[in-house]
Amino acid sequence: MYRLSQTLTDAFSRRFSRTVREDYRQDEAYASTPQGRFWLAVAIIGVLVLPLLLPQYPLFVTTQIMIAALAGLGLHLLVGGAGQISLGQAAFVGIGAYVSSHLSGDLAPLGILAGGLVAALIGIVLGIPSLRIKGAYLAIATLAFQFLADYVFKRWTAFTGGVAGRSLPAEGTFLGLPLADDRVVYYLGLVFAIPMFFYAKRLLSTRAGRAWFAVRDNDLSAQLSGVDLVRSKLTAFALSAFYGGIAGGILMHLIGAVTPENFVLAFSIQYLAIVIVGGAGTVLGAVLGALFIVLIPEILSVMAGAFGPQYVAQLSAWRSVAFGVLILLFLILEPRGLVGLWGRIRDYFRTWPLPY
Amino acid sequence: MSETLLEVHDLHLSFRGVKALAGVSFSVAEGDLFAVIGPNGAGKTSLLNVLSGLYRPQQGRVVFMGEDLAGQSPQQRVRKGLGRTFQNLELFRGMTVLDNVKLGAELAVGGYTDLMPKAQIEWKIRHHAEEVLDYLHLSPYRHVPAGALPYGLQKRVEVARALAGRPRLLLLDEPMAGLSLEEKQDLARFLLDARREWGVTLVLVEHDLKAVLELSTGVLVMSYGEVLYQGAPAGVRENPRVAEAYLGRSA
């Protein structure tokens, strides 16, 4: 009887619960259970068919979320992973955007890739101070880089077009498809975004991720566990910049132009906010953080519009205040970020009808 | 006679006139459980820091497996098989126990270029790490962040991380400090088993004189950076210089 009940319980848990894994390979897979695989498939198919369902403006916002999530994910590898605070992510987005604006049309994917690679090279250079300085001092060094990049964007007219920026020809096409169409840009971005998300997830759970977390938690001990500090810090900076650069290339195609005001300090802080609100430690955090940071202002302005057109001007000032208060509340009430909130909801429903 | 694994010749280390080590020499044979004891401030931890490459001695040589370690970084020494644990816990507190141990296991299993994850090697690392976790009875805590565990378990995780790298020589800095009697006995059992089964040579810095005299095969007594006694544990209690350093002149 005991044996029977045990067999039944085992079979039940294997089928319905997320906790039973039969070997280590399953434990380390992207989605280790049937439900996990199901929801992963639903998410990917959802992301693929989204442009066919959404009208133009919501699709524009969705693409913005994808871009913010990519840049935020890069910063997340650096801040949440290796523990190096950077206030210069917007500069890398800018570098990617400017470089890719020189290679458009049929070469668009190559241009985006080149933007990422150039950003990564500059990222390694920015990483060099991190070998000597830590914490707030490093943040100041990256802040200086942010201002320097802003200056170059505005003054190096031959490459960046100066304050006016550069704009793509409106009739540009990619393999015969118009690049002015947001759907084309969305799919172009997805070609980069999906593999890069899986890659980041893989990295964080394997050797590179362990080395980064070790550097973040205790660099003395990391050294004595055989971690190469120089290499891990520089790869974290390079990858973070690469993700930022790719995001910049997609952003450039989405807007169809590139101007310096898209890459100022406020955006660097916004990317940092994505990391913090999303919750450090996972790739999902970057996506949830980007959703929150990009969607909330949109939702607030829709709410402002609902009161009537005469209030829109007045309420837009209050919109920023509400946004700030929401972020503050978030940090106080749920320090682990949206990922922590999601985990709590999931844990509640895991044992849902019989919590004890 | 077993082979000499570690030789230390005439180490001198001083911090702006304060002498931490003044002419320390000893050797550890393969398979030993070598204990270093001495009153507070005797220079025991400084000695370990010199051995693992965190401090550079002003004078003297450290020879490990027949090779002079002068000028080698801590990472290089760890990769050669010179493991280390710390007196104050230096765990990766935000990482899970499993990840802590996996980081150590990379040293034994072998790494790969970190930007190109290789599943085969990852599974080997996981397998190896699980073996060590099982050995130290840590498997139930594998997914818990190391910082959230009680003190005794954190100590054990640190030993697990060091043992997972399969070091030839493991430097343990007061592994038993702050543990209860049972925890001490467990840890001593694990260390003795590791020595027997995996052939790990142990160098142990310890205050617990009773534990040292029961466990070790050789003892080095230090005081103010100098060696007072070196030899078999049985002779420690009879040595007049040791008694003086521990108990004062009148004893």
Side-chain angles (χ1 to χ4, degrees), chain B residues 1-135:
Chain B
M1 188 66 204
S2 53
E3 206 178 325
T4 307
L5 190 65
L6 177 79
E7 267 182 278
V8 174
H9 294 289
D10 195 32
L11 278 186
H12 285 264
L13 176 75
S14 56
F15 302 103
R16 301 223 181 114
V18 179
K19 284 211 160 181
L21 298 175
V24 174
S25 313
F26 62 92
S27 68
V28 180
E30 180 118 42
D32 264 2
L33 200 165
F34 192 83
V36 180
I37 57 174
N40 285 328
K44 299 169 305 238
T45 299
S46 301
L47 176 64
L48 289 202
N49 282 345
V50 169
L51 293 183
S52 56
L54 293 175
Y55 293 162
R56 198 175 290 261
Q58 273 91 29
Q59 196 189 320
R61 287 195 307 137
V62 178
V63 181
F64 178 60
M65 286 163 52
E67 184 187 1
D68 194 340
L69 289 183
Q72 299 205 1
S73 71
Q75 290 106 303
Q76 286 170 317
R77 293 177 192 219
V78 169
R79 289 188 191 135
K80 290 213 162 72
L82 191 72
R84 167 82 194 262
T85 71
F86 288 89
Q87 182 175 3
N88 315 316
L89 288 167
E90 304 278 355
L91 279 174
F92 307 122
R93 301 178 63 83
M95 288 163 75
T96 61
V97 171
L98 180 62
D99 277 348
N100 267 281
V101 177
K102 271 181 170 176
L103 195 71
E106 275 170 25
L107 290 169
V109 178
Y112 51 86
T113 316
D114 50 6
L115 295 183
M116 309 274 189
K118 287 214 171 50
Q120 294 297 332
I121 300 179
E122 275 298 320
W123 289 324
K124 251 187 238 165
I125 291 174
R126 173 85 193 248
H127 196 80
H128 184 89
E130 288 287 345
E131 218 172 275
V132 176
L133 286 178
D134 186 37
Y135 195 77

Side-chain angles (χ1 to χ4, degrees), chain A residues 210-276:
Chain A
R210 284 196 296 272
W212 289 336
F213 291 138
V215 170
R216 177 195 68 187
D217 282 356
N218 192 331
D219 50 2
L220 170 76
S221 189
Q223 240 179 333
L224 283 170
S225 302
V227 173
D228 189 341
L229 287 190
V230 175
R231 190 187 158 80
S232 340
K233 282 185 182 176
L234 290 186
T235 48
F237 267 98
L239 264 179
S240 148
F242 179 76
Y243 276 65
I246 298 284
I250 304 168
L251 180 68
M252 194 275 307
H253 283 288
L254 180 68
I255 302 176
V258 48
T259 48
E261 72 261 23
N262 279 322
F263 315 115
V264 291
L265 179 63
F267 283 91
S268 274
I269 293 172
Q270 186 193 308
Y271 294 128
L272 206 54
I274 287 175
V275 173
I276 293 168

Side-chain angles (χ1 to χ4, degrees), chain A residues 86-98:
Chain A
S86 165
L87 283 169
Q89 188 69 351
F92 291 118
V93 177
I95 291 166
Y98 279 111

